[in-house]
Amino acid sequence: MKTLFSIFLFFATSNLLCSQENIVQNGSFEEIDSCFGNVSNLGVDIFLWSGCNGWSNPIYSSSDLWCNNPVVGIYSPPSLITVGAFQFPRTGNNMSGIYISSSVGFENYKEYIQNELESELDFGKTYQLTFYINRSNKDNFTCHISNIGALFTENKIFSSTALWLDSLGYSVKNNSSNFLSDTLDWVEVKLLYTAKGNEKFVTISSFNSTFQNDIDFSNQCDTTGFGFTGGYFFIDDVSLLEIPFIAEFPNVFTPNNDGINDSWTPTIVSGGDWNIDILNRWGNPIVTLNQNSPNWSNPIESDGVYFYRFYSKELPNESRSGFFQLIK
């Protein structure tokens, strides 16, 4: 059901999202002052060094920024010998790069990219995070992984000593069966997030406790510790778009345990702090639904017509009312 809903949601909002404003600052990494031209050093915020607007390295590890006209190193797209790649940015001239280790004794080492969003997220609204990813083809960076996702926070993450952020966990995560292994083309990752409210930062990478949780072993990924192995991934064109308000209400409810319409479950997207009152034919309230209890199942009421009233304090002009048929 969730998969079908996701398909519906992406289809129903695709045209609307095209006109939405990207809440990620500098999503394709084009706004910079200077270009380093090599992998970053541990503890260096290469985004700060480069004047890359909106982006930062939140911890002691060394996420990278690849760009043209370097002033220190000699590497720029597409010839990135240090990470074993011949790769163009998906758009523009610049892209970021992160490494996630699988070496024994260093298996939790991860690199992250963090963005300060253009505005805080609104409680109850749903957002679509999209970014494009490509894996380096260097011999000891052959691991195919799926454990890429994002963490949304109110405050900026910063640590001058941490080498990973596993304890924080994901807000949203790539499907565990979707291994990111393409070394030629850019792969689109789309994730849906319903805001808790006031989030101002998004951090992208892996938040798994161990790298091995989401490795595709079929490609001979070396996790023995004999080499400094893992996966190096380029990231480009990051966007976060608010999904417009959607409210859909079923017109029939048949709780007979046949797997079809066994619960009355409305589709509410970006509805804020919403409630739905269900009333009988005499106008008496029976049950109230909300984000924490979004469906009505196993009713003791008899067959007949029932009514609903949708309301949200964040969307006072979007009230809805109607009726549906209960058939046991």
Side-chain angles (χ1 to χ4, degrees), residues 61-231:
S61 61
S62 56
S63 47
D64 302 315
L65 176 66
W66 299 106
C67 43
N68 287 327
N69 304 314
V71 298
V72 177
I74 60 173
Y75 304 109
S76 62
S79 298
L80 303 172
I81 299 172
T82 55
V83 292
F86 185 88
Q87 186 56 253
F88 291 94
R90 181 177 178 271
T91 61
N93 298 313
N94 308 336
M95 59 187 174
S96 64
I98 59 173
Y99 175 75
I100 301 173
S101 175
S102 68
S103 299
V104 174
F106 209 46
E107 61 265 23
N108 283 350
Y109 176 82
K110 300 177 179 70
E111 296 174 355
Y112 301 81
I113 56 173
Q114 179 176 234
N115 187 269
E116 181 174 2
L117 302 173
E118 292 280 4
S119 59
E120 293 181 352
L121 304 187
D122 294 327
F123 171 81
K125 291 190 176 180
T126 300
Y127 298 82
Q128 178 178 292
L129 175 67
T130 303
F131 55 89
Y132 293 82
I133 196 164
N134 174 271
R135 185 180 66 79
S136 165
N137 60 0
K138 191 171 184 177
D139 290 343
N140 61 339
F141 292 161
T142 58
C143 295
H144 300 173
I145 71 171
S146 61
N147 58 354
I148 294 288
L151 173 66
F152 290 89
T153 55
E154 292 187 33
N155 301 311
K156 185 175 183 178
I157 298 172
F158 175 75
S159 172
S160 60
T161 59
L163 291 173
W164 55 83
L165 295 172
D166 298 343
S167 62
L168 299 182
Y170 295 92
S171 297
V172 285
K173 183 184 177 185
N174 177 47
N175 190 304
S176 60
S177 63
N178 179 31
F179 287 97
L180 304 169
S181 58
D182 202 322
T183 61
L184 296 176
D185 298 320
W186 289 88
V187 177
E188 183 182 55
V189 176
K190 283 185 177 181
L191 305 170
L192 292 178
Y193 175 66
T194 300
K196 298 178 180 178
N198 303 317
E199 296 93 326
K200 191 64 167 64
F201 295 86
V202 59
T203 303
I204 298 173
S205 184
S206 168
F207 296 87
N208 271 27
S209 58
T210 59
F211 181 90
Q212 284 82 354
N213 287 352
D214 289 311
I215 286 181
D216 177 6
F217 290 96
S218 64
N219 70 321
Q220 305 301 313
C221 176
D222 178 10
T223 59
T224 63
F226 293 106
F228 189 70
T229 61

Side-chain angles (χ1 to χ4, degrees), residues 229-304:
T229 61
Y232 189 92
F233 300 91
F234 301 106
I235 297 176
D236 202 2
D237 293 335
V238 184
S239 65
L240 183 67
L241 304 177
E242 178 187 331
I243 294 179
F245 170 66
I246 296 173
E248 300 286 343
F249 306 94
N251 59 13
V252 67
F253 177 23
T254 59
N256 55 8
N257 296 318
D258 66 349
I260 302 174
N261 299 321
D262 284 332
S263 66
W264 192 81
T265 305
T267 297
I268 308 296
V269 178
S270 295
D273 188 10
W274 59 266
N275 288 274
I276 298 176
D277 291 332
I278 296 177
L279 308 95
N280 62 21
R281 71 189 69 183
W282 297 282
N284 299 320
I286 298 172
V287 65
T288 296
L289 308 181
N290 54 41
Q291 299 95 313
N292 298 321
S293 180
N295 59 72
W296 184 31
S297 57
N298 299 319
I300 61 174
E301 285 73 20
S302 60
D303 290 8

